[in-house]
């Protein structure tokens, strides 16, 4: 027959092993859930990008506005409706970039995943876009502003 102290010691070891196994399981589940969340985020960001590109390519007016260099001369030659459309498209582009950056900050996207979504492209260097950016800048996440500007020579 085992001594009560031996039984108690064995039960403590078994209990500790159970706690360890439980923590190990929780850790593995967290890692799995994080991987699923990252994959879902990449899919969602890609879907948003595809939706924006589809809207632009399916709308002749938007396609015209998007395909031109965004200079002040170009913007001055637009009708009021075209100018508003260009401005809203530009703001939507900025907000999409900010949202993508925030997902990067939360660890749901890695940095190389930001490049396809417009963080560095000729559009962001157009004079008219820079003016639009300056107007939107105060309302944006300061960390996003710093990140974006450092990649676009602002």
């Amino acid at each position: 027959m085992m001594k009560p102290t031996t039984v108690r010691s064995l039960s403590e070891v078994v209990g500790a092993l159970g706690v360890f196994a439980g923590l190990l399981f929780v850790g593995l589940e967290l890692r799995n859930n994080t991987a699923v969340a990252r994959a879902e985020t990449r899919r969602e960001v890609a879907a948003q990008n595809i939706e924006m590109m589809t809207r632009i390519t399916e709308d002749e007016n938007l396609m015209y506005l998007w395909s031109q260099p965004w200079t002040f001369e170009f913007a001055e030659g637009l009708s009021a409706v075209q100018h508003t459309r260009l401005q809203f498209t530009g703001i939507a582009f900025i907000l999409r970039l900010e949202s993508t950056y925030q997902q990067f900050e939360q660890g749901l996207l890695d940095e190389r995943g930001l490049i396809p979504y417009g963080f560095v492209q000729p559009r962001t260097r157009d004079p008219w876009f820079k003016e639009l950016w300056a107007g939107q800048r105060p309302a944006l996440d300061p960390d996003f502003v710093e990140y974006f500007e450092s990649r676009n020579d602002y």
Side-chain angles (χ1 to χ4, degrees):
M1 179 168 224
M2 287 203 221
K3 294 182 187 178
T5 55
T6 306
V7 171
R8 194 173 333 141
S9 295
L10 272 172
S11 63
E12 286 176 5
V13 168
V14 169
L17 287 173
V19 169
F20 177 76
L23 288 173
L24 183 63
F25 176 76
V26 168
L28 291 172
E29 284 299 305
L30 270 173
R31 188 167 56 172
N32 186 43
N33 288 344
T34 301
V36 169
R38 285 183 178 148
E40 184 59 35
T41 297
R42 283 190 297 274
R43 193 171 20 262
E44 182 182 317
V45 169
Q48 290 172 358
N49 205 39
I50 290 166
E51 181 183 347
M52 185 174 182
M53 289 187 297
T54 301
R55 283 185 179 174
I56 290 170
T57 57
E58 289 178 348
D59 183 317
E60 194 172 318
N61 292 318
L62 274 178
M63 189 61 181
Y64 168 73
L65 295 173
W66 193 259
S67 67
Q68 303 301 310
W70 289 356
T71 63
F72 295 114
E73 296 80 20
F74 171 69
E76 288 171 5
L78 299 175
S79 70
V81 170
Q82 288 175 317
H83 192 272
T84 300
R85 202 176 249 172
L86 178 62
Q87 186 172 10
F88 285 3
T89 301
I91 292 170
F93 177 67
I94 290 170
L95 294 176
R96 184 177 58 82
L97 292 177
E98 182 182 37
S99 174
T100 304
Y101 172 80
Q102 288 168 342
Q103 292 170 356
F104 159 68
E105 277 292 293
Q106 293 170 2
L108 297 172
L109 288 174
D110 59 19
E111 190 167 24
R112 71 172 185 251
L114 297 177
I115 295 169
Y117 300 105
F119 275 82
V120 179
Q121 65 168 283
R123 170 73 59 231
T124 61
R125 293 184 177 95
D126 287 341
W128 186 87
F129 181 85
K130 285 185 174 187
E131 185 175 276
L132 180 69
W133 171 261
Q136 296 301 308
R137 191 178 192 274
L140 300 170
D141 175 337
D143 292 334
F144 163 65
V145 169
E146 181 181 330
Y147 184 88
F148 180 83
E149 289 179 351
S150 71
R151 267 114 189 115
N152 286 284
D153 304 321
Y154 276 57

XYZ file of all heavy atoms in Angstrom, residues 2 13 72 83 103 109 112 138 141:
79
model
N 0.461 2.253 -0.777
C 1.254 3.473 -0.872
C 0.965 4.393 0.300
O -0.135 4.430 0.824
C 0.915 4.216 -2.157
C 1.430 3.600 -3.390
S 1.488 4.936 -4.548
C 0.924 4.274 -6.006
N 1.923 15.655 -9.369
C 2.648 15.511 -10.644
C 1.654 15.346 -11.792
O 1.770 15.985 -12.846
C 3.646 14.331 -10.586
C 4.185 13.998 -11.964
C 4.774 14.646 -9.632
N -1.952 69.409 -61.227
C -2.905 70.493 -60.977
C -3.586 70.917 -62.274
O -4.777 71.218 -62.288
C -2.211 71.682 -60.318
C -1.700 71.361 -58.947
C -0.342 71.342 -58.680
C -2.578 71.050 -57.920
C 0.125 71.029 -57.414
C -2.121 70.739 -56.650
C -0.756 70.731 -56.398
N -14.147 66.244 -60.837
C -13.230 66.630 -59.771
C -13.636 65.955 -58.448
O -12.787 65.423 -57.723
C -13.189 68.148 -59.602
C -12.074 68.598 -58.722
N -12.215 68.700 -57.357
C -10.791 68.936 -59.003
C -11.073 69.097 -56.837
N -10.199 69.250 -57.803
N -3.733 46.760 -40.337
C -3.698 45.303 -40.267
C -2.261 44.803 -40.198
O -1.963 43.817 -39.525
C -4.467 44.707 -41.439
C -5.948 44.994 -41.300
C -6.743 44.648 -42.528
O -6.215 44.257 -43.553
N -8.050 44.791 -42.431
N -0.727 41.199 -41.380
C -0.042 41.217 -42.681
C 1.438 41.454 -42.426
O 1.788 42.166 -41.490
C -0.549 42.367 -43.559
C -1.924 42.277 -44.165
C -2.273 43.593 -44.868
C -2.028 41.138 -45.142
N 6.001 42.940 -46.577
C 6.045 42.761 -48.038
C 4.635 42.684 -48.625
O 4.425 42.916 -49.802
C 6.889 41.560 -48.416
C 6.275 40.247 -48.077
C 7.064 39.074 -48.643
N 6.306 37.905 -48.336
C 6.648 36.987 -47.442
N 7.778 37.084 -46.816
N 5.870 35.968 -47.196
N -4.103 65.154 -41.317
C -4.420 65.346 -39.893
C -5.413 64.325 -39.326
O -5.404 64.065 -38.124
C -5.018 66.756 -39.839
C -4.531 67.432 -41.073
C -4.389 66.347 -42.101
N -4.074 58.062 -38.897
C -3.252 57.484 -37.829
C -1.817 58.008 -37.991
O -1.211 57.835 -39.054
C -3.293 55.957 -37.978
C -2.395 55.218 -37.014
O -1.420 55.789 -36.499
O -2.669 54.027 -36.780
